[in-house]
Amino acid sequence: PVSVLYWGSLPPSDMAKNTAKANARSNAQRLQQFWLITLACNLVHIATIWLWAGFPPSLWQLCGVGFWASQQVTAMKMLSSRGAPSYDAEGRIDDCADLSDPNQLGFATYAQDILWLCWALQVLSNAVSGYFSVLYVIVPVYAIYNAWTKLIGPMLAQRAQMQQMAAAGGAGAAGAGGAQAPPGAVPQAPGQPQTREQRRKAERDAKKQARKS
């Protein structure tokens, strides 16, 4: 109850800063755990190579370790950047995203998914069977799917919509231009004679009237 009263008595800005401080602490603990898991997965990988193939490892085996480790380190860097707090002019924590909340991760949520997938496949493909590495095809397929549904597809749809709007506007302008009378034509008024002779007479009268004026 005391903590509830304390938090309820704070201004919104102070509550937001306290939340940011709590997020920064939890993010540091979370990232530390992730680094330990990454280290453990790569140690298991190296130990498996040593047990089954001897030491030192071959170049191909080192490339396998680097393949998994490079992705894990890249994903960790992205998560660290996303979970880093921002500071105000006085050097106090002003804002910090919560890495445990997928809604606040943004693009880093893909890095976290790739990190977990690499952990699992690295251990399974080395400790159980190498065929588990085939499941890594999920990563490029997932990346292509997200690129199409969230980037390329909407861009193409927007471009097609703009082209349709431009075509509709051009057709409307052409129709409006076709409906206009040609230059020099006598505008038709209600009750105007329709025969050829009457139209010619009306044109001559209009020209005479124009000369007099």
Side-chain angles (χ1 to χ4, degrees), residues 128-139:
V128 180
S129 173
Y131 290 107
F132 279 101
S133 59
V134 178
L135 296 177
Y136 184 79
V137 74
I138 296 174
V139 174

Side-chain angles (χ1 to χ4, degrees), residues 95-182:
D95 190 20
C96 184
D98 185 5
L99 293 181
S100 63
D101 185 2
N103 295 324
Q104 299 185 33
L105 281 176
F107 187 77
T109 186
Y110 303 116
Q112 185 168 259
D113 294 340
I114 292 175
L115 184 64
W116 290 342
L117 184 64
C118 288
W119 286 342
L121 294 182
Q122 184 181 20
V123 174
L124 291 174
S125 61
N126 288 279
V128 180
S129 173
Y131 290 107
F132 279 101
S133 59
V134 178
L135 296 177
Y136 184 79
V137 74
I138 296 174
V139 174
V141 170
Y142 186 63
I144 293 172
Y145 170 77
N146 280 280
W148 177 261
T149 57
K150 298 183 179 181
L151 182 63
I152 301 175
M155 288 177 60
L156 293 177
Q158 185 178 6
R159 180 178 297 179
Q161 184 179 4
M162 293 176 63
Q163 291 177 352
Q164 291 177 358
M165 293 175 62
Q180 294 178 357

Side-chain angles (χ1 to χ4, degrees), residues 80-91:
S80 299
S81 177
R82 179 56 181 164
S86 60
Y87 298 89
D88 57 14
E90 298 178 358

